[in-house]
């Protein structure tokens, strides 16, 4: 067993190194050319945040493997020689919370600060903003922990008398205890309601911080994840349906390009006006609303330019470019169909295993166990894939709602054209939702991940926390997830196949 534990440690170290290298690769290839050879602190925060998010997702499969390291041991202290998963969970999620609420906001305030100011003034401004946020968060957390930072476990008080060792045992449903028929409080199945007691204890402060962070993440996860679980595959499928069927003529290209040029000039004029307002210090609600509108129109304009280039490829390799465009849409369609299967499996599993009490079937839990029986890591890999799919769905949902709701900021991720503020925003969103994804997966796959440290933290403590347990008792987040997924499906079925028309003349709000 010692060899198994050593191998698990080696695999964990190798995976962490690979995750770090992959995130550096993403940063280098997604960053905007304007951020090359500068903004090193935001870049470090981005790589660290993405690494923590990926490692936290992979820790649940590691937790399952760590549990298996001592389940067949023949001596009681075997589990003390395995990885301290509960301590590792607490460390990862305390770092997660620090990144989301302090470090990432500081990096964003510093990066988005007035470039005309000195570095010292930008740091001072960012520290003041984050310091105020830290003070408020610490005050709220301290008050909540002191008032309601307890867990209430419902237990049964069972008892039985002592008697001489019998020569034979005669137990039955009407006689579950020793000592005569008058003692029936030793069986939890036959004990009455009066045997139920509430056992109250104070949780640790780190676990309470993780629990409250999970609640915040669960709200965003239910909103963005519920929308994204439907729009992610359907968006790919309807992108194939709306694809250009043939190359347009040169006259059509000139007409469309002229219209897009007019649109670009309007947006540049609007952006210059907003920049003048910012320099004059008049940054009110109207200014922020106009900035949001310009960002949205700019994003849509870039999509229109890309679509026009696809419909009229130019250059010596125009035919090859068109062929690759067609193949790209076919790949989107295949990925959309596969994603739709995964999304349907997720929704069905939530309904079958979580919302119906008692569950109709273990469903995906049983699938993962059977895959593990085929090959040791096959079920673990499938389990990790389903968890990562939820994170991707969260990002897809945030992008879709960002284009349609005024109060949600757009931060698109583009290959070779992503600014650090967009990187930091999406990393913060991923980190905040990753906690909820882990909690959601630990609950949804409770049969597969039973007796793990994650289930102890997110299953027993979180779902028994005073003031919060009712959100999980009545499946509020799961129901919201399913409802939003259904509404998004209806929306795409009704409007997803339509092509978006160019908007009229763009003007700032007065």
């Amino acid at each position: 067993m010692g060899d198994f534990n050593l191998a698990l440690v080696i695999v964990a170290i190798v995976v962490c190194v690979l995750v770090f290298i992959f995130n550096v690769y993403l940063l280098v290839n997604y960053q905007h050319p304007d951020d090359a050879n500068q903004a090193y602190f935001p870049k470090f925060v981005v790589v660290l945040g993405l690494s923590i998010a990926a490692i936290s997702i992979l820790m649940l499969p590691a937790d399952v493997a760590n549990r298996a390291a001592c389940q067949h041991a023949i001596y009681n202290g075997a589990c003390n020689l395995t990885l301290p998963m509960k301590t590792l969970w607490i460390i990862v999620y305390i770092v997660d919370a620090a990144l989301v609420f302090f470090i990432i906001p500081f990096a964003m305030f510093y990066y988005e600060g007035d470039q005309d100011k000195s570095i010292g003034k930008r740091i001072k401004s960012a520290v003041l903003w984050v310091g105020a946020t830290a003070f408020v968060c610490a005050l709220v957390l301290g008050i909540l922990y002191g008032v309601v930072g307890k867990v209430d476990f419902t237990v049964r008080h069972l008892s039985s008398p002592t008697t001489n060792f019998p020569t034979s045992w005669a137990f039955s449903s009407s006689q579950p205890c020793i000592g005569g028929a008058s003692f029936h409080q030793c069986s939890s199945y036959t004990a009455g309601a009066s045997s139920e007691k509430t056992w109250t204890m104070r949780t640790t402060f780190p676990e309470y911080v993780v629990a409250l962070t999970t609640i915040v993440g669960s709200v965003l996860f239910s909103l963005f994840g519920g929308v994204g679980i439907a729009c992610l595959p359907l968006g790919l499928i309807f992108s194939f349906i709306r694809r250009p069927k043939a190359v347009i003529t040169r006259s059509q290209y000139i007409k469309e390009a002229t219209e897009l040029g007019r649109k670009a000039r309007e947006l540049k004029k609007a952006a210059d006006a907003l920049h003048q307002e910012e320099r004059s210090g008049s940054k009110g609600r109207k200014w922020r609303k106009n900035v949001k509108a310009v960002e949205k129109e700019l994003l849509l304009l870039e999509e229109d330019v890309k679509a026009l280039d696809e419909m009229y490829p130019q250059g010596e390799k125009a035919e090859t470019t068109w062929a690759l465009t067609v193949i790209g849409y076919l790949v989107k369609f295949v990925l959309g169909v596969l994603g739709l299967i995964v999304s349907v499996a997720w929704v069905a599993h939530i309904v079958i295993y979580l919302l119906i009490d008692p569950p109709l079937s273990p469903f995906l839990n049983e699938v993962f166990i059977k895959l593990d029986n085929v090959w040791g890591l096959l079920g673990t890999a499938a389990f990790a894939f389903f968890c990562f799919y939820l994170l991707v769905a969260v990002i897809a949902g945030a992008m879709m709602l960002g284009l349609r709701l005024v109060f949600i900021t757009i931060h698109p991720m583009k290959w070779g054209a992503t600014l650090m503020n967009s990187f930091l925003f999406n990393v913060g969103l991923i980190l905040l939702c990753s906690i909820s994804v882990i909690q959601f997966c630990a609950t949804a796959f409770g049969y597969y991940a039973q007796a793990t440290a994650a289930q102890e933290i997110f299953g027993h403590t979180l779902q028994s926390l005073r003031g919060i347990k009712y959100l999980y008792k009545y499946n509020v987040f799961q129901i919201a997830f399913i409802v939003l997924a259904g509404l998004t499906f209806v929306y795409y079925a009704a409007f997803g196949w339509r092509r978006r028309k160019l908007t009229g003349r763009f003007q700032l709000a007065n």
Side-chain angles (χ1 to χ4, degrees), residues 81-348:
L81 302 177
T82 57
L83 295 176
M85 291 304 302
K86 186 173 181 179
T87 303
L88 292 176
W89 277 118
I90 297 298
I91 292 174
V92 165
Y93 284 117
I94 290 296
V95 173
D96 191 310
L99 283 169
V100 170
F101 295 108
F102 304 114
I103 300 177
I104 289 179
F106 173 82
M108 291 188 69
F109 285 129
Y110 175 78
Y111 179 82
E112 294 179 349
D114 192 346
Q115 300 297 321
D116 295 334
K117 294 181 179 179
S118 64
I119 295 178
K121 290 184 177 180
R122 290 166 62 188
I123 293 177
K124 180 181 178 181
S125 177
V127 168
L128 289 176
W129 278 104
V130 176
T133 304
F135 175 77
V136 173
C137 289
L139 185 63
V140 172
L141 282 174
I143 293 174
L144 289 176
Y145 181 71
V147 176
V148 292
K150 299 178 181 180
V151 287
D152 298 321
F153 296 106
T154 301
V155 297
R156 287 187 181 275
H157 180 76
L158 305 178
S159 62
S160 176
T162 58
T163 185
N164 294 329
F165 196 83
T167 57
S168 62
W169 305 93
F171 294 121
S172 65
S173 58
S174 60
Q175 178 65 28
C177 309
I178 61 175
S182 59
F183 296 97
H184 285 195
Q185 294 298 313
C186 70
S187 173
S188 60
Y189 294 99
T190 59
S194 60
S195 65
E196 288 191 358
K197 306 292 181 182
T198 299
W199 178 33
T200 300
M201 61 178 294
R202 182 170 292 278
T203 184
T204 62
F205 186 72
E207 288 183 342
Y208 192 73
V209 172
V210 172
L212 290 188
T213 307
T214 303
I215 294 298
V216 177
S218 295
V219 175
L220 297 177
F221 171 73
S222 300
L223 177 62
F224 296 142
V227 173
I229 201 74
C231 79
L232 177 60
L234 293 178
L236 294 172
I237 293 174
F238 283 110
S239 176
F240 172 79
I241 295 174
R242 298 190 305 264
R243 74 191 187 281
K245 304 299 191 299
V247 177
I248 61 176
T249 62
R250 180 174 177 79
S251 60
Q252 289 177 311
Y253 173 78
I254 294 175
K255 178 182 177 181
E256 296 291 340
T258 302
E259 180 65 21
L260 292 178
R262 179 191 64 79
K263 191 78 171 180
R265 288 191 295 271
E266 291 176 358
L267 289 176
K268 185 178 184 304
K269 182 179 178 181
D272 291 339
L274 290 173
H275 185 64
Q276 290 295 330
E277 290 184 25
E278 182 184 15
R279 296 292 296 272
S280 63
S282 55
K283 296 170 59 176
R285 177 190 295 182
K286 183 184 71 174
W287 182 85
R288 289 190 294 269
K289 181 180 179 181
N290 286 329
V291 169
K292 166 73 176 181
V294 170
E295 289 178 346
K296 177 181 176 180
E297 291 295 329
L298 181 59
L299 184 60
L300 295 177
L301 177 64
E302 292 176 350
E303 292 180 356
D304 291 334
V305 172
K306 181 181 178 182
L308 184 60
D309 290 338
E310 289 179 347
M311 291 187 289
Y312 191 78
Q314 304 179 58
E316 298 179 355
K317 300 181 179 179
E319 294 183 357
T320 302
T321 303
W322 174 251
L324 292 176
T325 299
V326 174
I327 294 174
Y329 279 104
L330 288 174
V331 172
K332 285 185 177 181
F333 178 75
V334 173
L335 292 177
V337 172
L338 294 176
L340 185 61
I341 295 173
V342 176
S343 295
V344 170
W346 254 119
V347 173

